[in-house]
Amino acid sequence: MSESNFESYPPLFRPSNNMTQKPDTKNQQIKLDTSSNNIDMLPIVDMQHLDLDYLDKVCKEWGIFRLVNHGIPTNLFKSLQEHVKKIFDIPYEVKQGFVSKCPINYFWGTPALNQEGQALRRRVSGHNFDWMEGFNVPFSQLHNYHHLIDDHPLFNTFRKLLVEYCEFITKIASIIFEAMVESLRLDVQVARRNIDESSGLVRVYRYPKHNNVDEIKGLHVHTDSSILSILSEDEVGGLKFLKDDRWYDAQPVPDTLIVNLGDMMQVVSDDKYKSVKHKVELNKHNERLSICYFVFPEENTLIHSSNYKPFTYNDFRAQVQLDLQTVGHKIALQSFKL
């Protein structure tokens, strides 16, 4: 990003407020770290040849995997990534002003949002904030507010690309969830109540570069609250996941998706599957862009598990918000544990 575009950053992220920031080197080439400690360790799941036993093993032992042969066209990935970059390069004040009139919510410093899509300011100490900004896009609202978005060419194209992306990603989530339900030998009709396509949303993230990557984090360690989260990312990398008390890099691989299980899938599976802990580390030289789809249970459907008290997703979300405001991080699952 050129120095003239720093006005697109939230004020806290601009060089005048961050003495360690430096402009990008002109024509900086992105190089992957291919050292032995950074080899991609993610298990690979082929969507065109789903092996239920293998998927079951991966979900139990990893809680995260790379999905190939998913059917999303390469040109759609490319167009969406290119347009996401243009959206983020809009001046910060313009981004804030536009989204106040439509269901696309702009946020920065934290991914924790309330039901209306507004950022929750958690209890903060030191550098306990996230060096990122994003847009929260509920799929179910994209058609309802098109008349507001159509007057803004960039956001209108963004909306149209997301509608097309939605057609693919919702089918992918449904197929993967139903395969997991079959692997767990759950009642299909009962389990289907725990995934609600109308709850699906996309969040696009930008992580500005930063020299002090040891102290400043893109996203702090967390688990997702979702049933499933499905990630597409650019070539910069930075996603790390925890397995057996060790952090691993999820290297960026073109035309693949990263699927991770969330808290609600852990509950539905009676703790057989695990909600994976993960984080995002910053890059010293380049911004990182990513697009993540999340899908949840229907808000008021009672979720039953032999290991947890019955609760609705609304109950869970309220507990998460309370956790963030009181202790600064999520402990919600433990609050419902029997």
Side-chain angles (χ1 to χ4, degrees):
M1 168 178 258
S2 65
E3 189 167 5
S4 62
N5 273 338
F6 281 130
E7 66 180 6
S8 71
Y9 287 160
L12 182 64
F13 295 174
R14 297 173 188 175
S16 60
N17 291 310
N18 174 22
M19 299 305 293
T20 63
Q21 271 303 59
K22 298 179 181 179
D24 284 339
T25 301
K26 187 176 182 180
N27 298 323
Q28 174 72 41
Q29 295 296 313
I30 299 171
K31 296 182 180 180
L32 297 180
D33 185 349
T34 55
S35 66
S36 59
N37 290 330
N38 289 280
I39 296 173
D40 186 55
M41 298 291 291
L42 281 176
I44 297 174
V45 172
D46 187 335
M47 189 164 162
Q48 297 302 316
H49 301 91
L50 274 179
D51 182 326
L52 296 186
D53 290 336
Y54 177 66
L55 179 64
D56 185 60
K57 178 180 173 66
V58 167
C59 290
K60 286 177 178 176
E61 296 181 2
W62 292 78
I64 186 171
F65 54 88
R66 188 177 301 282
L67 190 67
V68 300
N69 293 326
H70 44 69
I72 301 178
T74 299
N75 62 344
L76 178 55
F77 273 134
K78 183 178 179 181
S79 296
L80 194 51
Q81 286 281 359
E82 289 175 351
H83 211 75
V84 164
K85 178 170 175 52
K86 292 177 182 178
I87 291 289
F88 277 119
D89 279 349
I90 295 173
Y92 167 73
E93 289 77 9
V94 175
K95 286 182 287 194
Q96 279 198 315
F98 170 72
V99 300
S100 65
K101 304 173 185 177
C102 75
I104 299 176
N105 302 109
Y106 173 73
F107 60 94
W108 64 274
T110 175
L113 309 180
N114 63 20
Q115 194 169 353
E116 289 71 39
Q118 299 168 334
L120 288 170
R121 293 305 171 189
R122 63 189 175 192
R123 184 177 179 181
V124 175
S125 60
H127 294 298
N128 188 29
F129 60 89
D130 299 305
W131 198 261
M132 62 83 202
E133 60 176 332
F135 290 97
N136 182 75
V137 188
F139 277 161
S140 63
Q141 300 295 314
L142 283 178
H143 294 289
N144 297 343
Y145 289 80
H146 66 87
H147 59 287
L148 294 175
I149 300 174
D150 286 352
D151 292 335
H152 298 75
L154 272 179
F155 280 96
N156 186 31
T157 304
F158 182 46
R159 180 185 68 83
K160 290 178 179 178
L161 287 169
L162 284 178
V163 167
E164 184 179 357
Y165 188 69
C166 173
E167 294 177 0
F168 288 98
I169 206 74
T170 53
K171 291 178 183 177
I172 291 169
S174 181
I175 290 170
I176 295 299
F177 178 73
E178 289 180 4
M180 292 191 295
V181 166
E182 187 174 347
S183 297
L184 290 164
R185 295 177 173 81
L186 300 176
D187 183 302
V188 176
Q189 296 304 314
V190 173
R192 282 295 302 175
R193 300 171 192 161
N194 293 315
I195 186 170
D196 178 18
E197 289 185 1
S198 69
S199 74
L201 59 86
V202 160
R203 288 185 182 175
V204 294
Y205 298 92
R206 177 168 74 167
Y207 302 85
K209 64 188 180 67
H210 202 293
N211 279 349
N212 189 2
V213 297
D214 293 328
E215 290 189 26
I216 306 299
K217 300 301 178 185
L219 278 181
H220 283 74
V221 179
H222 66 287
T223 60
D224 292 342
S225 298
S226 58
I227 284 282
L228 292 175
S229 305
I230 305 179
L231 177 77
S232 167
E233 60 178 342
D234 65 10
E235 69 271 37
V236 174
L239 175 65
K240 293 180 179 288
F241 63 93
L242 188 68
K243 183 182 186 301
D244 300 328
D245 298 320
R246 180 179 176 185
W247 286 103
Y248 292 91
D249 291 299
Q251 297 286 7
V253 178
D255 296 327
T256 69
L257 296 167
I258 295 175
V259 180
N260 72 265
L261 310 188
D263 298 336
M264 296 301 97
M265 193 65 226
Q266 179 169 326
V267 174
V268 169
S269 71
D270 284 337
D271 291 334
K272 294 182 180 68
Y273 296 171
K274 301 300 181 185
S275 181
V276 65
K277 289 184 178 180
H278 54 287
K279 61 182 177 179
V280 174
E281 295 195 345
L282 300 172
N283 188 288
K284 291 183 178 181
H285 307 290
N286 299 283
E287 296 177 346
R288 175 182 187 260
L289 298 175
S290 66
I291 304 165
C292 195
Y293 170 76
F294 303 88
V295 65
F296 306 87
E298 196 280 326
E299 291 183 349
N300 295 308
T301 294
L302 205 59
I303 303 169
H304 295 276
S305 169
S306 60
N307 295 331
Y308 299 86
K309 295 177 287 187
F311 64 91
T312 67
Y313 184 68
N314 260 344
D315 297 331
F316 183 83
R317 181 167 52 197
Q319 184 62 52
V320 170
Q321 294 180 6
L322 180 62
D323 293 342
L324 293 173
Q325 293 167 346
T326 54
V327 298
H329 60 273
K330 181 174 68 177
I331 58 174
L333 268 190
Q334 294 305 312
S335 301
F336 297 96
K337 196 82 172 178
L338 289 174

